[in-house]
């Protein structure tokens, strides 16, 4: 038996017998405590203690998670910076700590925190951007170099473009891809994705045929045979674009990257969606052997603090010639963030300049009417009477000092940002990426594997009391306890009568318990004949705008399942998943939702809209 298969067998055996063997919890008050649960967890997975370096990083660099008591299961992508790094570059003056229990050395006064960079937008064509590029600032160049290293990509093979988000990146490709000649779009998603939706509409407008992979109920496994037939279409025309995520960021299902090779061998261009991958998963791809034509990955600033960021689109240089010119799409530029004091000074200066300019204009108007004469009048009239070319030159000369001052300010800000914003470069530090590098692929994946499987097992142990057939409280969609699954889970909560509780309600109540969850919509679900009778009970129908009738017509209906989702990162710890388990268990109380409604009403809080 190989090491991998042996590990898989051990994990599944442990989950089935060592963690709460034959236990079903019917009351949230009967759940074992955090300490007892963690003790059982460590006995089952002693290797988990070898991942304590992640806990140390969290304690030292992301201590805000403990201070806020917030659990985050809604972050997707890669974190660029740490919270400690953000605070150390705060533009607020430090204040003395009032508690000996406060983490690292000092606290900071509240106020605007530096986001390390700001985003500006620029209209551009992907084709022209790839072919001719554009001048990059030092900040952008260093960021690109650091990200290319993280993604295990070479600048000799790929060009990188900053975009606002995943949707923008997909739109970029869709608007530039020649669907008129390569007339097929084939996607592999078990959930509704806005970026894919935008790409689908753009391709349809160009006459493309849109196809999707299907997923079998109840396991939601990929229907590989059906997908293989679509990939190996016998038609001689050029295949088109194959859009493929290695992992579902909702269900945690993983798909073999051999699909990329198979698609390329059959004439498809491949877009690899890496937005749902973990921080070191790119090292497993062996991109030197499996090089997609396009790759998309997203980045955020600080985990648990600042979800804003950008997305990166990588285009293989040998494939860039297929792209066509397009319009109406924006790329983003990374520009140094400004201090709050800078903004205030600039606003104040603007006010002064505006006031002075107004006075001058009034003075000129008076002079032109013959009311007075003076230096301002003579200066203005000399410019007014000049020919247009001279006027332009005078204008540029007058603006030159402002431009030089602005450039100097920009360069000064940039040097401050680069000093705190590596891949071994002392002058450019993305500490969030560095932390992932220091932990490594094996440790991160092992830690996530233990935590996600324990969480799935724990959620499935919750059962409604006194109900016929002991109805389970939670239903998991997609892979359950499994060695090779991603660190994400899609689930729903059901009441004692077996009726699903709206995922929006679960999400809102979780938020009020300081737990951040996401929700989504699973679709492209195929029901075998033996499960066809379950379709009406399980599948719901909706439209992109809630199914409202507009002008006597109804939008196209989509069938699927709305779900709650939780995604784990390398900073997630056992306490986080235990808190989620404890929160979900409270729905075992048949009156929990109603109690919460009245509790917040009594506290004069905003009531939960059901």
């Amino acid at each position: 038996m190989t090491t991998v298969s042996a590990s898989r067998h051990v994990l599944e055996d442990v989950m089935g017998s060592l963690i709460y063997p034959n236990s079903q919890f019917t009351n949230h008050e009967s759940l074992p405590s955090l300490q007892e649960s963690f003790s059982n967890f460590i006995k089952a997975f002693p290797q988990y203690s070898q991942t304590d370096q992640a806990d140390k990083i969290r304690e030292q660099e992301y201590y805000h998670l403990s201070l806020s008591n917030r659990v985050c299961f809604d972050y997707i992508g890669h974190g660029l910076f740490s919270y400690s790094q953000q605070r150390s570059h705060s533009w607020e003056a430090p204040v003395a700590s009032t508690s000996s229990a406060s983490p690292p050395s000092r606290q900071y006064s509240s106020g605007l925190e530096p986001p390390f960079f700001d985003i500006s937008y620029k209209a551009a064509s992907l084709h022209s951007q790839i072919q001719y590029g554009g001048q990059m600032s030092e900040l952008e160049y260093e960021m690109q170099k650091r990200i290319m290293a993280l993604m295990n990509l070479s600048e000799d093979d790929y060009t990188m473009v900053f975009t606002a988000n995943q949707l923008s990146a997909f739109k970029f490709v869709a608007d530039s891809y020649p669907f008129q000649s390569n007339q097929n779009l084939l996607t592999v998603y078990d959930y509704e994705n806005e970026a894919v939706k935008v790409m689908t509409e753009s391709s349809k407008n160009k006459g493309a045929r849109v196809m999707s992979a299907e997923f079998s109920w109840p396991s939601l496994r990929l229907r590989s045979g059906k997908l293989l037939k679509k990939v190996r279409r016998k038609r001689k025309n050029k295949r088109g674009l194959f859009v493929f995520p290695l992992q579902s960021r909702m269900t945690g299902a993983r798909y073999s990257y051999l699909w990329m090779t198979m698609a390329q061998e059959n004439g498809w261009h491949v877009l690899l969606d890496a937005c749902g991958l973990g921080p070191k998963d790119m090292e497993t791809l062996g991109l030197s052997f499996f090089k997609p034509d396009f790759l998309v990955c997203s980045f955020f600033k600080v985990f648990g603090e600042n979800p804003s960021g950008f997305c990166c689109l990588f285009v293989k240089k040998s494939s860039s010639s297929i792209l066509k010119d397009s319009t109406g799409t924006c790329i983003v530029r990374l520009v140094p963030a400004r201090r709050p004091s800078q903004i205030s000074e600039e606003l104040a200066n603007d006010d002064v300049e505006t006031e002075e300019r107004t006075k001058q204009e009034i003075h000129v108007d008076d002079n032109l009417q013959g009311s007075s004469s003076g230096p301002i009048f003579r200066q203005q009239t000399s410019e007014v009477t000049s020919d247009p070319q001279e006027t332009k030159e005078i204008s540029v000369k007058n603006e030159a000092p402002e431009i030089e001052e602005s450039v100097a300010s920009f360069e000064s800000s940039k040097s401050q940002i680069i000093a705190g914003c590596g891949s071994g470069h002392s002058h450019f530090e993305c500490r969030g990426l560095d932390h992932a590098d220091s932990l490594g692929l094996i440790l991160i994946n092992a830690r996530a594997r233990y935590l996600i499987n324990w969480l799935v097992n724990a959620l499935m142990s919750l059962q409604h009391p006194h109900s016929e057939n002991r109805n389970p409280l939670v239903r998991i969609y997609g892979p359950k306890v499994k060695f090779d699954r991603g660190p994400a889970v899609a689930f729903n909560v059901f009441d004692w009568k077996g009726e699903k509780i709206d995922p929006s309600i679960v999400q809102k109540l979780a938020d009020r318990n300081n737990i951040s969850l996401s929700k989504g919509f699973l679709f492209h679900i195929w029901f075998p004949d033996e499960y066809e009778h379950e379709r009406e009970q399980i599948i719901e129908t909706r439209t992109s705008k809630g199914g409202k009738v507009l002008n006597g017509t109804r939008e196209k209906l989509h069938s699927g399942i709305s779900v709650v989702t939780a995604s784990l990162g390398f900073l997630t710890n056992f306490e986080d998943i235990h808190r989620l388990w404890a929160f979900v268990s409270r729905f075992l109380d048949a009156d929990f939702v109603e109690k919460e409604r009245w509790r917040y009403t009594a506290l004069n809080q905003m009531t939960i809209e059901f």
Side-chain angles (χ1 to χ4, degrees):
M1 184 179 292
T2 66
T3 302
V4 173
S5 60
S7 299
R8 180 180 288 107
H9 177 76
V10 168
L11 181 138
E12 293 175 356
D13 183 61
V14 165
M15 284 296 178
S17 61
L18 295 182
I19 297 185
Y20 309 129
N22 303 316
S23 295
Q24 301 296 331
F25 298 97
T26 60
N27 188 323
H28 71 278
E29 295 180 348
S30 68
L31 263 61
S33 66
L34 171 62
Q35 292 74 17
E36 182 183 348
S37 297
F38 186 65
S39 176
N40 289 334
F41 177 74
I42 289 296
K43 288 178 183 176
F45 300 112
Q47 302 92 334
Y48 180 81
S49 60
Q50 298 172 9
T51 72
D52 63 344
Q53 182 61 30
D55 296 309
K56 293 176 183 176
I57 289 174
R58 172 172 168 148
E59 180 182 355
Q60 296 170 2
E61 297 282 341
Y62 301 88
Y63 50 85
H64 65 294
L65 298 173
S66 298
L67 293 177
S68 65
N69 200 32
R70 165 68 62 171
V71 178
C72 300
F73 294 111
D74 58 344
Y75 274 71
I76 300 295
H78 305 280
L80 293 168
F81 311 112
S82 73
Y83 181 77
S84 175
Q85 183 182 10
Q86 172 178 278
R87 298 297 280 181
S88 67
H89 288 275
S90 172
W91 284 318
E92 295 290 332
V95 295
S97 171
T98 57
S99 170
S100 59
S102 297
S105 74
R106 59 179 180 173
Q107 292 179 330
Y108 289 78
S109 59
S110 60
L112 293 174
E113 296 297 336
F116 294 93
F117 59 83
D118 287 330
I119 295 292
S120 66
Y121 296 86
K122 173 187 173 183
S125 159
L126 179 59
H127 177 264
S128 61
Q129 185 70 18
I130 298 299
Q131 292 296 320
Y132 310 111
Q135 187 172 3
M136 299 179 70
S137 67
E138 186 177 354
L139 171 62
E140 290 173 313
Y141 175 72
E142 292 290 346
M143 183 69 79
Q144 173 183 285
K145 189 161 57 173
R146 181 65 184 93
I147 289 174
M148 295 285 275
L150 173 79
M151 303 299 290
N152 197 25
L153 299 174
S154 169
E155 293 183 31
D156 295 332
D157 299 324
Y158 285 88
T159 300
M160 190 182 98
V161 178
F162 292 105
T163 69
N165 48 38
Q166 183 193 30
L167 189 149
S168 298
F170 273 48
K171 180 172 172 54
F172 236 149
V173 175
D175 290 348
S176 306
Y177 189 79
F179 283 112
Q180 294 92 338
S181 55
N182 298 21
Q183 297 179 344
N184 295 291
L185 173 64
L186 177 55
T187 63
V188 186
Y189 287 81
D190 61 2
Y191 64 95
E192 188 175 59
N193 183 298
E194 288 299 320
V196 174
K197 189 185 298 184
V198 167
M199 175 173 278
T200 297
E201 291 304 315
S202 178
S203 64
K204 283 182 177 179
N205 291 338
K206 296 180 181 180
R209 178 187 181 191
V210 177
M211 299 175 288
S212 303
E214 294 180 342
F215 303 86
S216 297
W217 181 261
S219 65
L220 295 188
R221 287 194 183 96
L222 176 66
R223 295 189 70 196
S224 300
K226 192 76 177 290
L227 179 59
L228 188 59
K229 289 181 180 179
K230 293 177 179 179
V231 170
R232 292 176 173 172
R233 289 170 55 82
K234 295 181 179 179
R235 295 184 181 181
K236 298 296 182 182
N237 64 316
K238 295 179 181 180
R239 298 295 196 271
L241 185 61
F242 180 70
V243 184
F244 175 71
L246 280 161
Q247 174 179 296
S248 169
R249 65 181 180 87
M250 290 205 178
T251 64
R254 282 182 170 164
Y255 317 116
S256 171
Y257 51 80
L258 292 174
W259 283 107
M260 288 194 297
T261 303
M262 199 174 303
Q264 288 175 329
E265 289 175 349
N266 284 273
W268 295 83
H269 292 107
V270 174
L271 186 156
L272 174 60
D273 178 2
C275 291
L277 296 182
K280 298 295 289 179
D281 282 347
M282 292 304 298
E283 292 185 0
T284 67
L285 297 181
L287 286 178
S288 57
F289 301 102
F290 306 100
K291 290 184 177 179
D293 301 280
F294 310 96
L295 190 149
V296 176
C297 192
S298 57
F299 297 84
F300 56 84
K301 289 178 181 173
V302 181
F303 178 78
E305 172 71 13
N306 191 336
S308 67
F310 54 80
C311 192
C312 290
L313 168 62
F314 303 88
V315 180
K316 190 162 67 172
K317 291 182 177 180
S318 60
S319 303
S320 61
S321 60
I322 67 168
L323 300 175
K324 308 299 181 183
D325 279 327
S326 60
T327 58
T329 309
C330 287
I331 64 171
V332 300
R333 299 294 307 273
L334 306 188
V335 297
R338 294 176 296 174
R339 294 187 183 97
S341 58
Q342 281 181 312
I343 298 173
S344 298
E345 290 171 4
E346 289 173 8
L347 291 174
N349 290 337
D350 287 344
D351 290 342
V352 172
E353 290 175 5
T354 301
E355 184 177 353
E356 288 298 322
R357 191 176 296 114
T358 302
K359 289 178 180 179
Q360 291 178 10
E361 290 172 354
I362 293 173
H363 194 176
V364 169
D365 288 342
D366 290 342
N367 286 332
L368 290 174
Q369 294 171 12
S371 62
S372 64
S373 63
I376 292 179
F377 171 70
R378 287 194 294 271
Q379 178 184 0
Q380 292 291 336
T381 54
S382 66
E383 291 179 10
V384 170
T385 56
S386 302
D387 64 62
Q389 183 61 35
E390 290 177 348
T391 302
K392 180 179 179 182
E393 290 175 358
I394 292 171
S395 176
V396 170
K397 288 178 182 178
N398 289 339
E399 291 175 2
E402 288 187 25
I403 294 173
E404 291 174 2
E405 183 179 351
S406 177
V407 170
S409 175
F410 177 90
E411 292 297 329
S412 174
S413 296
K414 182 172 70 177
S415 64
Q416 293 171 0
I417 297 302
I418 289 178
C421 241
S423 55
H425 298 84
S426 59
H427 60 292
F428 186 86
E429 183 181 22
C430 288
R431 206 177 290 174
L433 303 183
D434 293 343
H435 291 150
D437 283 341
S438 68
L439 295 175
L441 172 68
I442 296 176
L443 185 149
I444 290 174
N445 281 358
R447 181 182 177 91
R449 184 179 301 118
Y450 302 140
L451 292 175
I452 191 64
N453 280 291
W454 186 93
L455 175 62
V456 169
N457 185 78
L459 290 173
M460 292 192 301
S461 71
L462 303 175
Q463 300 268 342
H464 280 290
H466 314 305
S467 61
E468 296 181 7
N469 303 320
R470 279 288 180 92
N471 291 334
L473 176 70
V474 174
R475 179 161 203 165
I476 305 292
Y477 301 93
K480 298 178 176 60
V481 173
K482 188 176 180 181
F483 179 86
D484 187 27
R485 62 159 296 145
V489 59
F491 66 95
N492 272 318
V493 179
F494 293 82
D495 64 20
W496 64 274
K497 294 179 289 187
E499 296 179 0
K500 184 171 78 174
I501 298 174
D502 188 336
S504 296
I505 295 176
V506 177
Q507 184 187 38
K508 289 177 181 179
L509 290 175
D511 186 64
R512 290 204 162 109
N513 283 271
N514 268 355
I515 299 174
S516 298
L517 298 171
S518 298
K519 58 181 182 174
F521 191 69
L522 303 178
F523 69 161
H524 297 146
I525 302 172
W526 177 77
F527 283 79
D529 291 340
E530 61 266 34
Y531 292 104
E532 188 62 35
H533 65 282
E534 296 184 13
R535 177 188 290 273
E536 290 187 7
Q537 298 175 332
I538 295 167
I539 294 295
E540 56 200 81
T541 303
R542 74 174 194 182
T543 70
S544 59
K545 295 183 179 179
K548 295 180 180 179
V549 177
L550 301 174
N551 298 324
T553 62
R554 184 176 292 274
E555 294 180 76
K556 182 179 178 181
L557 299 176
H558 297 278
S559 298
I561 306 170
S562 56
V563 295
V564 181
T565 67
S567 297
L568 281 58
F570 74 87
L571 293 172
T572 304
N573 62 17
F574 184 82
E575 182 178 356
D576 292 340
I577 61 172
H578 188 274
R579 278 186 60 185
L580 177 56
W581 183 42
F583 163 72
V584 173
S585 72
R586 295 177 67 185
F587 287 90
L588 290 170
D589 179 354
D591 298 322
F592 171 61
V593 174
E594 198 62 26
K595 287 177 182 177
E596 286 295 294
R597 185 207 301 269
W598 286 110
R599 185 165 76 91
Y600 281 96
T601 301
L603 292 173
N604 284 326
Q605 300 287 334
M606 183 182 296
T607 58
I608 301 174
E609 297 178 3
F610 294 160

